[in-house]
Amino acid sequence: MRARYRAGGLTEADLAADPFQQFAHWFTDAVGAGLPEPNAMVVSTTGRDGRPGSRTVLLKGYDADGFVFYSNYDSRKGHDLAATPYASLLFPWHPIARQVIVSGEAVRVGRDETVAYFRSRPHGSQLGAWASAQSTPVASRAELERRYAELADRYPEDDDAVPAPPFWGGYRLVPDRVEFWQGRDNRLHDRLVYERGPAPAGTPSAGWTVTRLCP
């Protein structure tokens, strides 16, 4: 199976001054194109044993400080990030022949930020965070649903007092490398990479260099 990519190209002159602005442009395009869940991304981590793990999660925010997602800290990804606090995010926007790959250090967000986000989640998702001991074995689907039902009895849907689990919270991936991939004909894809460099003199934030890679 093989697809042909005939999208317009990506040149250095097209790029924004930093990867966050460029991501915002492309994310807007992905939303405008009607892609299902354009904020879905593949998060890849590495554990103490050196084995990589990947899973799809949802991006919940981004700005000049990084890209935010939430998880159970006791999940496989949580244990991986505790051992090796670096990760890669992949946004696979195949219908528009684009990918964005973000890599850098993952740090936990502040507890206040986690609690504020948790309170914005649907009631069922709040209960689900408590019911699921993510990545651990469970005897059956019935057991999982029993845990959820017990929580639903304890915290009715009109109860806004579901506490944020202490084992659950956010990560902010602070990038040092962001690649923008645009599919082109004959597999001569455009790959432009921002890499974080030292802060320019007189400025508090790091600068970015852009490199073109062979496809």
Side-chain angles (χ1 to χ4, degrees), residues 107-119:
V107 296
R108 291 189 182 187
V109 306
R111 192 63 189 168
D112 288 348
E113 186 173 348
T114 283
V115 170
Y117 170 69
F118 185 81
R119 288 177 177 162

Side-chain angles (χ1 to χ4, degrees), residues 78-89:
H79 287 298
D80 283 358
L81 291 172
T84 308
Y86 298 95
S88 175
L89 313 177

Side-chain angles (χ1 to χ4, degrees), residues 42 92 120 122 151-152 162:
V42 178
S120 75
L151 288 158
V162 182

Side-chain angles (χ1 to χ4, degrees), residues 4-118:
R4 297 189 69 181
Y5 303 112
R6 296 184 178 276
L10 178 64
T11 69
E12 288 79 350
D14 296 329
L15 293 178
D18 65 60
F20 307 107
Q21 296 178 51
Q22 184 62 36
F23 181 84
H25 295 329
W26 273 24
F27 188 78
T28 298
D29 289 346
V31 173
L35 272 61
E37 294 193 301
N39 62 325
M41 59 186 185
V42 178
V43 178
S44 297
T45 56
T46 306
R48 285 189 174 87
D49 58 4
R51 291 177 178 265
S54 298
R55 72 290 290 165
T56 301
V57 305
L58 297 178
L59 176 71
K60 290 301 180 180
Y62 68 91
D63 56 25
D65 294 324
F67 298 78
V68 177
F69 63 95
Y70 289 83
S71 177
N72 186 313
Y73 290 142
D74 291 329
S75 65
R76 177 181 174 183
K77 77 175 82 61
H79 287 298
D80 283 358
L81 291 172
T84 308
Y86 298 95
S88 175
L89 313 177
L90 167 64
F91 294 86
W93 295 328
H94 302 310
I96 56 174
R98 286 178 175 176
Q99 297 181 85
V100 181
I101 305 170
V102 184
S103 57
E105 184 176 9
V107 296
R108 291 189 182 187
V109 306
R111 192 63 189 168
D112 288 348
E113 186 173 348
T114 283
V115 170
Y117 170 69
F118 185 81

